[in-house]
Amino acid sequence: MSSEVATATTQGHTHRDDAGTKLGMWLFLFTELILFGGLFIIYAVYRFSHGAEFELAANELDRLVGTVNTIILLTSSLTVAMSITAIQEGKKNLTLLLVGMTVVLAFAFLLNKYFEWDHKIVAGIYPGSPDLINKPQGVILYFGLYYVMTGLHALHVIIGMVVLVVMMFFVKNGTIHKGSFVRLEAGALYWHLVDIIWIFLFPLFYLLH
Amino acid sequence: MAIAAAAHGAPEPDFYHAPSKHKGIFAWILSTDHKRIGILYLFSLLTFFLIAATLGVLMRLEMLTPGKTIIEPQTYNTFFTLHGIMMIFLFIIPGLPAVFGNFMMPIMIGAKDVFFPRLNLLSWWLFLAGGLLALVSVFLPGGATDTGWTFYVPYSIRTSTNVIPALMAAFILGFSSILTGLNFVTTIHRMRAPGMTWFRMPLFVWSLYATAWVQILATPIIGITLLLVAIERWFGVGIFDPSLGGDPILYQHLFWIYSHPAVYIMILPGLGVVSEILPVFARRTIFGYKFIAYSSLAIAFVGSLVWAHHMFTVGMSNTGMFVFSFLTFLVSIPSAIKVFNWIATLYKGSIALEVPLLFILSFIVQFCIGGFTGLMLGALAVNIHVTDTYFVVGHFHYVMFGGTGFGLFAALHYWFPKMTGKMFKKKPAVVSWFMVTIGFNVLYFTMFILGYQGMPRRYYDYLPQFQTLHVIATVGSWILYSGILVMFVNLLISLRKGEKAGANPWGGETLEWTVPSPPPLENFDVVPTVTTGPYDYSKYEAVQEAK
């Protein structure tokens, strides 16, 4: 999606319309928000019907791990935003460094998430596990949503990482430069989307009291 | 290339003969030209349509007699599921936008292509992948899906048939639909020719614009919902499974939050085609242009808020039922605005009864019947009596087939000369219109009566008292199916042997009629500058007034 640039003709002379490309990207981001919106509706319905059990289940999550991951993602949004300023000033190496830092932070987020999931699974809390099935229905629903929503988010983190690595490649070979950086902007917009969804997931799962 | 050709004094080749960097079939399946992609959609879509229509005819044949006629009950279940999935996700939803939107919309607004041509090609590939996956799922071990196209839980979680491939197919097709919508909105916003203001756009483009927004905003919900059913089957998460605390009614809400707006994705471009074709053959400026344009947006907006009228008997508060019933009634206002404006356009026009107009006239009558029965279904008291009967089947087919399907046939005949450069033979086309219209009404009007008498839908067997009506409906399906075959054969023969059509055989006033048939690769030599609205028939109207 983000590597798509308006090419109005197949016959050589290309016409560029960065505002249009960004409009397309924003529309795509809306669809992503609505995709998660469906899950947020389900969360709202079940939290309304099983409020007390949701709080009980939320105690099982490690708030420190969640906080660390929030800080990591917020920092990565900062670095990717700074990379846009860097490319606007024509600083190629700085751009590469900042996008690279974003990818490293994304990896750190996933690593942290992996250990968190692993910890839960070892403790016998995963969909369909014999331990979980005997718990109250609200707890089953809470962890079902926890795995689905953070899992889908993690998938988006991975997609975002791939997009950013491709952007680094484009910066390196000069496709993205001071005069043309709409692809990097689109990639960064996607990354901010990944960030903002986590900003909602974090309180909904970790800060229930 | 254009310059080189002009230098030699030769006319620019049409897009079928334009040079391509790929050879053979790859010049098609790797082309980013919106016209080629439109043709790709046309052929893949009509193939799926014929398969699904054949399934429909076989189902009708099964209903000829009570008990078993030709197929087993389980086969019947998979037939109506596959018929629904294919007709909805592979034919009616992509239908008009993907074929005629792709081919005509950029030309109609004076552009050389859509805004994201490569994304456009990706949409077609996703469409094809989704379609093939749906077909392949039939032959995988486990058997074809038997849930109905609605995939209602908990049955879709428990059945042993291949639900997951069918879900994934619908998911991929949804993604394709989103990308097309996104492409169209961006194209209409950014690529209109100089002077092509919003209120000079052809009404078909307006309807595509409204449709594209619904595609963008509603489709992600079905995406996540179907994905959750698949996850539920894989891991037993419990989100919809009542034995784990999940709520199956929540699934129905989420399903219809998309699938009701989706019926407006299906019908809006059909309404646009009527508004587009009617003025050409009435030789008259469309009546109430702005009202028709705004009513598309109004239908798209209000139509997004009525989903729970599919669930009146499922269990809902009385307040909820009243609200959704009221909103359902509201949709009829913008729909009626369109119908009245169409009739006013015909009034005092100098009407040319060409084939596209014949289909449009059938459309208007059938859309009215479909609309009125829709109001009956939206009324709470009647709904409880006729819900889940053949009445619903009749209503749905009157709107979707009698409306959008006929709109697609009209568009196919209207734009056939532009797309192919050939004119179709009129006489067989009129015969096919007659057969399709008669067959359609015999088949589906009978269903209203059947449903009103209490024949439930999706049932394999029935009481003997219903047999007469079932026989009439089945005979209707034969007439309808033969009519469709006559139409397709006529168009295929005309493709080879038809007479050459000029640039403007119908006397249309929109931009696509100003370019050669078929159009050259880049549509326009010079980007046009637009100075008037789309349906300027003042010269004809002056003559008519003088009479």
Side-chain angles (χ1 to χ4, degrees):
Chain A
M1 175 51 225
S2 51
S3 65
E4 182 82 26
V5 162
T7 316
T9 159
T10 44
Q11 294 197 339
H13 60 99
T14 50
H15 121 121
R16 243 185 68 195
D17 177 3
D18 289 353
T21 309
K22 268 192 269 184
L23 172 66
M25 190 62 202
W26 274 106
L27 290 174
F28 181 68
L29 296 183
F30 285 151
T31 68
E32 289 276 19
L33 282 178
I34 296 168
L35 186 86
F36 276 93
L39 285 167
F40 284 120
I41 290 174
I42 296 173
Y43 176 95
V45 169
Y46 289 148
R47 183 161 162 199
F48 183 74
S49 58
H50 299 82
E53 289 163 9
F54 263 48
E55 281 188 27
L56 191 72
N59 280 332
E60 308 253 348
L61 289 190
D62 190 337
R63 219 171 293 166
L64 182 67
V65 178
T67 312
V68 168
N69 259 350
T70 308
I71 293 168
I72 290 176
L73 266 197
L74 283 175
T75 315
S76 73
S77 251
L78 175 70
T79 53
V80 86
M82 285 164 74
S83 77
I84 304 287
T85 316
I87 197 78
Q88 281 171 335
E89 291 173 1
K91 292 172 182 161
K92 187 171 167 179
N93 286 332
L94 184 61
T95 310
L96 282 174
L97 178 73
L98 286 164
V99 181
M101 278 172 70
T102 313
V103 175
V104 170
L105 287 167
F107 189 74
F109 174 91
L110 287 177
L111 206 62
N112 205 353
K113 188 99 253 162
Y114 167 76
F115 284 124
E116 192 190 9
W117 273 35
D118 189 55
H119 186 70
K120 283 275 152 313
I121 290 168
V122 169
I125 299 176
Y126 56 89
S129 80
D131 284 5
L132 194 58
I133 259 174
N134 294 322
K135 299 216 162 149
Q137 290 189 329
V139 177
I140 302 178
L141 288 172
Y142 175 90
F143 279 107
L145 283 169
Y146 164 78
Y147 277 105
V148 170
M149 291 174 85
T150 59
L152 193 65
H153 177 260
L155 186 68
H156 279 75
V157 172
I158 294 170
I159 296 169
M161 280 170 79
V162 173
V163 169
L164 289 178
V165 168
V166 173
M167 292 307 126
M168 284 175 77
F169 177 75
F170 280 145
V171 173
K172 203 161 163 44
N173 74 10
T175 315
I176 294 176
H177 54 83
K178 192 181 174 181
S180 169
F181 50 85
V182 68
R183 294 174 195 218
L184 185 60
E185 276 187 301
L189 276 175
Y190 190 82
W191 192 253
H192 291 316
L193 169 91
V194 171
D195 191 20
I196 203 159
I197 288 171
W198 179 257
I199 293 299
F200 284 95
L201 290 180
F202 174 59
L204 288 180
F205 283 104
Y206 293 82
L207 304 181
L208 273 190
H209 263 298
Chain B
M1 188 51 62
I3 298 159
H8 289 96
E12 201 181 339
D14 62 63
F15 77 98
Y16 292 105
H17 297 97
S20 163
K21 58 183 173 192
H22 304 289
K23 291 239 177 299
I25 192 174
F26 293 103
W28 282 91
I29 61 175
L30 294 178
S31 170
T32 55
D33 178 9
H34 67 101
K35 298 181 285 301
R36 287 196 171 213
I37 294 174
I39 302 272
L40 285 176
Y41 267 116
L42 178 64
F43 277 95
S44 29
L45 202 119
L46 290 182
T47 310
F48 291 131
F49 169 72
L50 274 181
I51 299 173
T54 309
L55 289 174
V57 170
L58 291 176
M59 279 193 288
R60 276 318 317 164
L61 188 57
E62 169 54 45
M63 299 310 277
L64 194 62
T65 59
K68 186 187 165 184
T69 312
I70 50 163
I71 50 177
E72 296 296 327
Q74 179 60 17
T75 318
Y76 185 78
N77 290 347
T78 62
F79 273 22
F80 72 65
T81 304
L82 207 60
H83 173 81
I85 292 176
M86 293 185 75
M87 281 296 190
I88 286 176
F89 293 111
L90 291 165
F91 178 62
I92 292 277
I93 286 184
L96 286 160
V99 178
F100 299 101
N102 254 321
F103 197 109
M104 292 299 163
M105 184 271 282
I107 311 183
M108 287 173 122
I109 62 169
K112 292 184 170 179
D113 206 322
V114 292
F115 195 88
F116 299 106
R118 277 184 289 168
L119 202 62
N120 202 15
L121 180 63
L122 176 67
S123 303
W124 178 74
W125 273 102
L126 289 173
F127 171 76
L128 191 70
L132 293 180
L133 186 58
L135 280 181
V136 165
S137 77
V138 177
F139 301 104
L140 292 176
T145 320
D146 61 350
T147 58
W149 78 278
T150 49
F151 299 110
Y152 269 14
V153 293
Y155 184 67
S156 60
I157 303 174
R158 305 222 172 117
T159 172
S160 62
T161 53
N162 292 321
V163 178
I164 287 180
L167 288 170
M168 287 299 114
F171 182 84
I172 294 170
L173 292 167
F175 200 47
S176 160
S177 176
I178 287 177
L179 294 181
T180 302
L182 183 159
N183 217 336
F184 283 8
V185 169
T186 315
T187 307
I188 293 169
H189 269 277
R190 305 297 302 182
M191 295 183 76
R192 281 171 289 127
M196 178 61 80
T197 56
W198 283 93
F199 289 110
R200 282 182 188 160
M201 290 198 312
L203 286 163
F204 182 54
V205 178
W206 265 108
S207 71
L208 288 175
Y209 182 72
T211 309
W213 273 109
V214 185
Q215 283 174 289
I216 293 170
L217 297 177
T219 318
I221 294 285
I222 192 83
I224 191 67
T225 308
L226 298 182
L227 203 59
L228 283 172
V229 177
I231 292 173
E232 190 86 62
R233 277 182 77 94
W234 275 322
F235 302 112
V237 183
I239 289 175
F240 296 131
D241 189 345
S243 63
L244 296 172
D247 183 356
I249 295 179
L250 184 58
Y251 169 85
Q252 295 189 17
H253 276 291
L254 289 167
F255 179 83
W256 289 113
I257 284 177
Y258 164 76
S259 297
H260 195 79
V263 306
Y264 296 104
I265 296 178
M266 304 177 212
I267 192 69
L268 274 173
L271 303 173
V273 162
V274 178
S275 311
E276 193 63 43
I277 294 180
L278 211 54
V280 178
F281 297 100
R283 298 277 181 265
R284 222 166 156 289
T285 311
I286 188 101
F287 189 87
Y289 171 92
K290 278 199 179 175
F291 270 91
I292 294 184
Y294 282 132
S295 64
S296 288
L297 296 179
I299 291 175
F301 178 72
V302 184
S304 300
L305 304 173
V306 301
W307 74 86
H309 68 208
H310 294 267
M311 303 165 55
F312 284 150
T313 54
V314 170
M316 209 190 314
S317 71
N318 279 342
T319 319
M321 303 223 295
F322 285 133
V323 169
F324 280 109
S325 176
F326 175 71
L327 289 169
T328 305
F329 287 153
L330 271 192
V331 188
S332 62
I333 296 173
S335 312
I337 286 177
K338 282 181 192 286
V339 173
F340 287 131
N341 280 321
W342 293 333
I343 294 168
T345 305
L346 286 171
Y347 178 65
K348 280 194 174 176
S350 62
I351 294 169
L353 267 185
E354 294 289 345
V355 180
L357 186 67
L358 292 175
F359 279 106
I360 292 300
L361 295 176
S362 302
F363 178 118
I364 295 176
V365 174
Q366 285 153 194
F367 177 69
C368 285
I369 297 175
F372 284 130
T373 50
L375 283 178
M376 292 168 75
L377 284 163
L380 296 171
V382 188
N383 182 280
I384 288 170
H385 181 67
V386 292
T387 192
D388 258 324
T389 66
Y390 269 55
F391 194 86
V392 177
V393 183
H395 158 71
F396 189 66
H397 284 85
Y398 257 89
V399 187
M400 288 304 131
F401 192 176
T404 309
F406 275 67
L408 192 122
F409 296 155
L412 198 58
H413 287 90
Y414 178 62
W415 281 309
F416 184 84
K418 179 55 61 188
M419 295 168 94
T420 62
K422 301 282 177 61
M423 184 49 92
F424 57 84
K425 289 204 175 54
K426 188 175 172 183
K427 215 175 245 173
V430 174
V431 170
S432 75
W433 161 77
F434 188 75
M435 289 172 74
V436 168
T437 303
I438 297 294
F440 173 86
N441 284 290
V442 170
L443 168 54
Y444 295 111
F445 201 86
T446 315
M447 289 194 180
F448 286 130
I449 306 168
L450 267 174
Y452 208 75
Q453 292 183 352
M455 171 74 210
R457 67 171 175 167
R458 291 182 175 172
Y459 273 32
Y460 173 76
D461 202 358
Y462 56 85
L463 298 172
Q465 71 207 57
F466 294 123
Q467 194 179 3
T468 316
L469 288 168
H470 272 299
V471 170
I472 295 173
T474 304
V475 171
S477 77
W478 296 337
I479 305 174
L480 174 59
Y481 193 73
S482 321
I484 293 170
L485 290 183
V486 171
M487 182 196 318
F488 286 171
V489 169
N490 178 40
L491 290 179
L492 282 176
I493 292 176
S494 307
L495 198 60
R496 290 223 162 272
K497 297 189 177 162
E499 283 174 36
K500 252 178 120 59
N504 192 0
W506 307 123
E509 293 285 330
T510 38
L511 279 178
E512 80 268 29
W513 303 110
T514 64
V515 299
S517 309
L521 183 61
E522 293 203 322
N523 303 340
F524 302 96
D525 290 339
V526 185
V527 175
T529 303
V530 183
T531 52
T532 58
Y535 312 107
D536 186 9
Y537 288 100
S538 35
K539 49 183 186 238
Y540 296 97
E541 280 164 17
V543 173
Q544 200 67 12
E545 285 295 316
K547 284 183 196 166

